[in-house]
Amino acid sequence: MSTITTKDGTQIYYNDWGKGQPVVFSHGWPLSADAFEDQMFYLASRGYRCIAHDRRGHGRSSQPWNGNDLDTYADDLAALVDALDLKDAIHVGHSTGGGEVARYIGRYGTKRVTKAVLIGAIPPLMLKTPANPGGTPIEAFDQIRAGVQADRSQFFKDLTMPFYGYNRPGAKISEGVRESFWLQGMMAGFPASYFCIKAFSETDLTEDLKRFDVPPLILHGDDDQIVQIGA
């Protein structure tokens, strides 16, 4: 297995496929690097070097109690980028991973970054606050926490329906995709499954976005039921 060890001793697993300009993928909660395997295979087959890590607590990485916050996630990403000495990288983040990319740029700048892609991503802020009235009420995130605590296996299985839009009329449901999501979710440790909810819902990334001085591509579906576009 390809891993790096962070300054607090956490092992971060990563995939590293192909050669060429690096494209670095940051996955969503509660998934792993495997969430991007289709995109990585496509791009690696066409002259790019594709790298995706399992966020701490997720997938094949260590499951520490501490560090399940966006500051540490960004620090782990920086440690991976430095260890692999990546330059002119394109950073792609989905959902929580989009927050990770934003906080990484906010903390470390863009000296190693040439472009950024935020896909259905959490910035600037998911939570409803006086300054963000279009956000999602805290009660919704409390329900997610309760679901994870009560029966996270069933919760992750049920989550696949709105996650992929499979609950919409005419949707073509893939049970294989649902099972892949469930498997990735169950590979995440219980601490990360729980604590990451606060990280992705309550972290304000407004100031991090202001530090973007490379071209960002923002992709967000208007029927995203998880990270709703209105927020």
Side-chain angles (χ1 to χ4, degrees):
M1 284 177 40
S2 299
T3 63
I4 63 161
T5 302
T6 66
K7 60 186 178 182
D8 71 350
T10 299
Q11 281 198 315
I12 302 295
Y13 170 90
Y14 66 94
N15 292 325
D16 188 351
W17 301 346
K19 293 182 179 180
Q21 183 180 10
V23 186
V24 184
F25 294 87
S26 294
H27 65 79
W29 173 91
L31 303 173
S32 71
D34 295 345
F36 277 114
E37 63 183 6
D38 299 312
Q39 293 79 9
M40 290 178 64
F41 188 85
Y42 180 91
L43 291 172
S45 301
R46 288 161 174 80
Y48 290 90
R49 180 184 180 186
C50 294
I51 297 138
H53 63 294
D54 291 352
R55 186 172 298 118
R56 69 167 53 212
H58 298 68
R60 292 140 292 200
S61 292
S62 301
Q63 297 185 5
W65 181 259
N66 295 320
N68 289 291
D69 57 80
L70 276 168
D71 283 352
T72 310
Y73 295 159
D75 291 346
D76 292 346
L77 176 57
L80 177 64
V81 167
D82 289 348
L84 299 180
D85 194 25
L86 303 180
K87 299 181 175 73
D88 297 321
I90 302 167
H91 279 268
V92 181
H94 168 242
S95 195
T96 301
E100 180 177 285
V101 170
R103 181 52 52 92
Y104 167 69
I105 291 175
R107 285 170 80 80
Y108 293 93
T110 55
K111 61 182 181 293
R112 292 180 176 271
V113 182
T114 187
K115 296 177 182 177
V117 184
L118 306 181
I119 306 172
I122 63 173
L125 175 62
M126 284 189 73
L127 184 67
K128 182 178 181 179
T129 66
N132 188 43
T136 303
I138 188 69
E139 290 78 14
F141 302 112
D142 289 339
Q143 288 177 358
I144 296 174
R145 276 183 277 265
V148 167
Q149 279 192 297
D151 183 350
R152 72 188 183 106
S153 179
Q154 188 63 51
F155 181 83
F156 289 153
K157 188 173 183 180
D158 294 342
L159 183 61
T160 60
M161 296 303 287
F163 186 93
Y164 292 107
Y166 287 161
N167 57 350
R168 295 308 195 215
K172 183 181 178 181
I173 297 172
S174 167
E175 290 301 326
V177 167
R178 294 187 67 199
E179 289 171 7
S180 177
F181 182 104
W182 173 86
L183 176 61
Q184 290 179 61
M186 292 309 295
M187 286 175 68
F190 202 111
S193 298
Y194 185 86
F195 293 132
C196 187
I197 299 166
K198 180 179 178 68
F200 72 63
S201 63
E202 298 182 39
T203 305
D204 190 338
L205 296 152
T206 304
E207 294 304 314
D208 302 274
L209 295 177
K210 293 177 182 178
R211 293 204 64 190
F212 278 52
D213 56 3
V214 295
L217 173 63
I218 298 172
L219 305 172
H220 210 121
D222 60 8
D223 191 34
D224 191 325
Q225 298 173 65
I226 309 301
V227 183
Q228 295 180 10
I229 193 170

